[in-house]
Amino acid sequence: AAGEKLPTLAVTLAYVAACGGNADDWEKRWRAVTEELAAMPREDAGAEESPYRGLTRFEPGDADVFFGRDQLIENLLALVRAHRSVVVLGPSGSGKSSLLRAGLIPRLSEGAGLDTPLAAIRILTPGAHPVRTHAERLRPAGKPGDTLVLVDQFEEVFTLCTDPAERAEFIDLLLTSQDPASRLRVVLGVRADFYSRSLEHPELVQVVREAGIPVGPPSREELREVIVRPATARGLTVERTLTAQLLDEVTGEPGGLPLLSHALLETWRRRSGRMLTLKAYEAAGGVRGAIAQTAEDAYGSLSTERADVARLVMLRLVTPGEGAQDTRRPVHCAELDFAPEEEVDAVLDRLVSARLLTLDDGTVELAHEALITAWPRLAGWIDGARERLVVHRRLTDAARTWDDLGREPGALYRGTRLATASEQLSDNELTPLERDFLTASEAAFTAESRR
């Protein structure tokens, strides 16, 4: 009666009868409103934890809702028991990170049949400076047993680390694990399209050959577990027609897991009581459209000025592929100071709350690379700025190196690189450091020309 929630049909019709209204008309109105509400995410969706992770990966603490990979986990455990260095290869969207974090790590923490208990388990991603950042974490723990280092997104040594010497040193440090005296064990998760780059290092070739395991798409029965069992673990039910629809759409689809997981998350947010229904799934946009719908809703809620900031933020979080697929690029929040802090914070809050980005310990990145292809607007931004993005990434690295060297004049741009950067990049997309670097390069070039 207060208008704060939709009453049941019985209560509605009782009010209609008491007020002398037409029951048929009001029943049609009630059903129309019910359909509208079913298409909207529930406001209390965050009151309990979702059994699905959307675009974000499963973490070790999510083992209770991680299903569908039992045989793959057993095969991987067998390799880890038999070899000190293991490589896990799979295409983007195959669930490698979740397999390693929510599948392998919990089993290793329980012992998992290893001859001796592990002294420590460490998880890292390489980043732009893998040796400088992770050298200490590649030393064994100071207690009995081996230390296992899980290197997720190993391809970052090729996409983010621009120094070939540091890249080779990092790989050499990892592969000291081949010697039992090192007290290290290493598991590398590598995106399949970087397989050939991994073969550039001779010792890594041996590891791939002897202890490599491919991660392909789950079978139909494994997919059924992915869909149904997390819901069951949380006391929910998945409508049979929804399960059948999802299996038909995703079975055999390369890279389909993040799309499926996001569609299930959005269906959960629109659930009817304890039931995930086909109607809610369709309202969420389905496997193909759920990510785009979520992204467009988040982007459309921003003002014109913040929408432009969002575009620049998203483009900074992508490394354009040169002979490979585009990849996500983790960025420290300090690199997003090309716009006023309050504007950037507002944009990040909106995109993180929509689960499009993740923000952890001052680092922001795309929740999953699937966003690059599943959101047409972002794909269009990237394609329209591809050449400029390559130039911008190189400028960012050069500016950081220049700053690390105490702003050494010898590290400034000259010649063609300076001309290209000055022509293609505008002030509004540059950080203060990048702007200082470009200004100093132009000033130095002008001074040299005068001399």
Side-chain angles (χ1 to χ4, degrees):
E4 294 173 356
K5 65 177 184 178
L6 183 69
T8 64
L9 179 57
V11 171
T12 302
L13 294 180
Y15 269 90
V16 170
C19 297
N22 185 303
D24 289 341
D25 289 347
W26 282 97
E27 181 172 349
K28 290 176 182 176
R29 290 170 183 155
W30 183 89
R31 295 192 183 283
V33 173
T34 301
E35 290 183 7
E36 287 184 26
L37 290 177
M40 297 173 62
R42 288 169 49 157
E43 292 183 5
D44 66 341
E48 61 179 280
E49 187 181 5
S50 168
Y52 306 105
R53 293 294 171 263
L55 291 176
T56 57
R57 63 187 173 233
F58 285 81
E59 296 291 352
D62 298 321
D64 64 323
V65 289
F66 182 70
F67 294 101
R69 291 301 203 179
D70 292 349
Q71 186 57 56
L72 195 54
I73 293 170
E74 290 302 323
N75 295 344
L76 180 54
L77 280 170
L79 274 181
V80 172
R81 292 183 193 115
H83 300 274
R84 303 190 64 84
S85 304
V86 174
V87 175
V88 178
L89 285 154
S92 177
S94 62
K96 294 184 305 301
S97 293
S98 296
L99 169 70
L100 294 172
R101 292 168 184 260
L104 178 65
I105 295 300
R107 293 294 304 277
L108 290 175
S109 300
E110 297 165 0
L114 293 177
D115 293 338
T116 56
L118 292 171
I121 298 175
R122 298 168 181 165
I123 305 174
L124 59 91
T125 53
H129 299 287
V131 175
R132 185 193 312 173
T133 307
H134 301 302
E136 282 302 314
R137 304 190 70 191
L138 296 179
R139 303 183 194 282
K143 53 184 180 180
D146 290 338
T147 294
L148 184 131
V149 179
L150 179 104
V151 184
D152 194 9
Q153 298 170 45
F154 178 74
E155 64 273 6
E156 287 185 0
V157 298
F158 307 113
T159 61
L160 299 183
C161 179
T162 56
D163 183 353
E166 184 173 10
R167 180 187 307 138
E169 183 181 356
F170 180 64
I171 294 174
D172 287 339
L173 282 172
L174 291 173
L175 295 184
T176 58
S177 59
Q178 298 283 71
D179 180 3
S182 69
R183 294 177 49 227
L184 285 179
R185 288 176 177 268
V186 170
V187 179
L188 310 179
V190 189
R191 220 175 73 181
D193 50 326
F194 285 90
Y195 174 80
S196 60
R197 296 295 307 272
S198 301
L199 301 184
E200 293 172 2
H201 197 288
E203 289 188 32
L204 199 53
V205 172
Q206 181 181 349
V207 175
V208 172
R209 181 173 60 247
E210 297 178 357
I213 181 169
V215 179
S219 67
R220 191 176 180 88
E221 284 310 307
E222 288 173 331
L223 274 176
R224 189 185 301 278
E225 291 192 9
V226 170
I227 296 165
V228 175
R229 292 189 64 184
T232 304
R234 290 281 191 268
L236 303 168
T237 304
V238 181
E239 199 174 60
R240 287 178 179 275
T241 52
L242 172 57
T243 303
Q245 176 83 12
L246 288 169
L247 289 173
D248 288 343
E249 291 188 22
V250 182
T251 299
E253 183 73 24
L257 280 177
L259 306 182
L260 171 65
S261 186
H262 184 77
L264 283 167
L265 173 62
E266 291 302 309
T267 303
W268 172 82
R269 295 180 67 208
R270 295 164 171 81
R271 67 195 181 279
S272 176
R274 310 299 295 172
M275 175 76 75
L276 276 67
T277 65
L278 179 60
K279 182 178 289 188
Y281 166 75
E282 291 171 343
V287 166
R288 306 294 171 202
I291 292 177
Q293 182 170 310
T294 299
E296 283 298 318
D297 287 346
Y299 180 75
S301 69
L302 300 171
S303 66
T304 303
E305 295 75 16
R306 287 180 177 174
D308 194 50
V309 172
R311 177 180 63 84
L312 295 176
V313 166
M314 297 299 284
L315 288 176
R316 274 191 179 265
L317 301 180
V318 175
T319 296
E322 298 182 64
Q325 292 179 1
D326 300 330
T327 57
R328 58 181 169 182
R329 173 178 177 260
V331 166
H332 196 275
C333 289
E335 193 185 310
L336 302 179
D337 57 354
F338 56 84
E341 184 177 356
E342 62 274 12
E343 295 296 300
V344 173
D345 286 347
V347 167
L348 290 181
D349 285 345
R350 183 68 190 92
L351 298 180
V352 169
S353 66
R355 296 181 174 86
L356 301 174
L357 306 182
T358 60
L359 186 57
D360 181 37
D361 196 25
T363 299
V364 61
E365 63 178 320
L366 299 181
H368 198 281
E369 282 167 352
L371 187 62
I372 295 174
T373 53
W375 186 16
R377 186 185 296 272
L378 176 58
W381 287 338
I382 296 169
D383 287 341
R386 188 168 295 279
E387 184 179 347
R388 192 171 76 250
L389 285 175
V390 173
V391 173
H392 197 170
R393 294 294 163 270
R394 291 171 181 164
L395 174 76
T396 301
D397 292 337
R400 192 180 294 120
T401 301
W402 172 66
D403 196 51
D404 290 345
L405 294 173
R407 305 206 165 190
E408 164 63 42
L412 293 169
Y413 267 1
R414 287 170 174 78
T416 304
R417 287 189 301 173
L418 174 58
T420 302
S422 298
E423 177 185 339
Q424 296 208 13
L425 303 177
S426 56
D427 274 358
N428 72 314
E429 58 188 325
L430 299 179
T431 66
L433 174 60
E434 293 165 354
R435 204 174 295 120
D436 289 349
F437 173 77
L438 201 53
T439 300
S441 296
E442 289 169 343
F445 176 74
T446 300
E448 289 172 5
S449 299
R450 285 175 177 164
R451 282 198 297 274

